[in-house]
Amino acid sequence: MTATIRFKDIALGQPVELDACAEGGASLAERMCAMVRQWSGAPAASLVSMHMLEDASPPDRVSGRVMARHLDGSNRADVEVLMRAQEGCARAVVRVALG
């Protein structure tokens, strides 16, 4: 796990480096949350939404970006995760509390 990322150090639209190999045997939703946990260093992350095509082929590319910063004092951020495969794409929003 990486060092914990601080809320004040992230910006909207900031690219997020994700490891596509995280939690290989888990469901796609669990894998997306695991990738965000690994990036952030936070102990938990939760799925806010997920959209995907019928095709279940493994992803060729995984990318992410910070799409929301909650300014209510909770230090939460929403990370958009995109998994692209030859036949389609999956998109999820994962929420994580940062230090």
Side-chain angles (χ1 to χ4, degrees):
M1 187 175 284
T2 61
T4 303
I5 292 178
R6 297 180 306 185
F7 182 77
K8 68 179 188 172
D9 294 336
I10 63 166
L12 287 177
Q14 174 181 325
V16 172
E17 288 188 36
L18 300 170
D19 180 7
C21 296
E23 304 282 328
S27 72
L28 187 57
E30 291 168 339
R31 288 174 54 203
M32 289 186 173
C33 289
M35 286 186 280
V36 172
R37 279 194 311 272
Q38 185 175 18
W39 163 76
S40 68
S46 60
L47 187 69
V48 175
S49 67
M50 188 164 98
H51 306 281
M52 58 190 291
L53 296 175
E54 298 291 321
D55 180 34
S57 60
D60 298 325
R61 292 175 290 158
V62 177
S63 61
R65 70 178 179 95
V66 175
M67 66 174 292
R69 296 175 76 235
H70 296 258
L71 301 176
D72 59 1
S74 66
N75 288 351
R76 292 178 300 167
D78 291 351
V79 176
E80 178 184 49
V81 180
L82 294 172
M83 295 179 105
R84 292 180 178 89
Q86 190 148 353
E87 298 296 320
C89 174
R91 176 188 177 272
V93 176
V94 178
R95 184 164 292 154
V96 63
L98 302 173

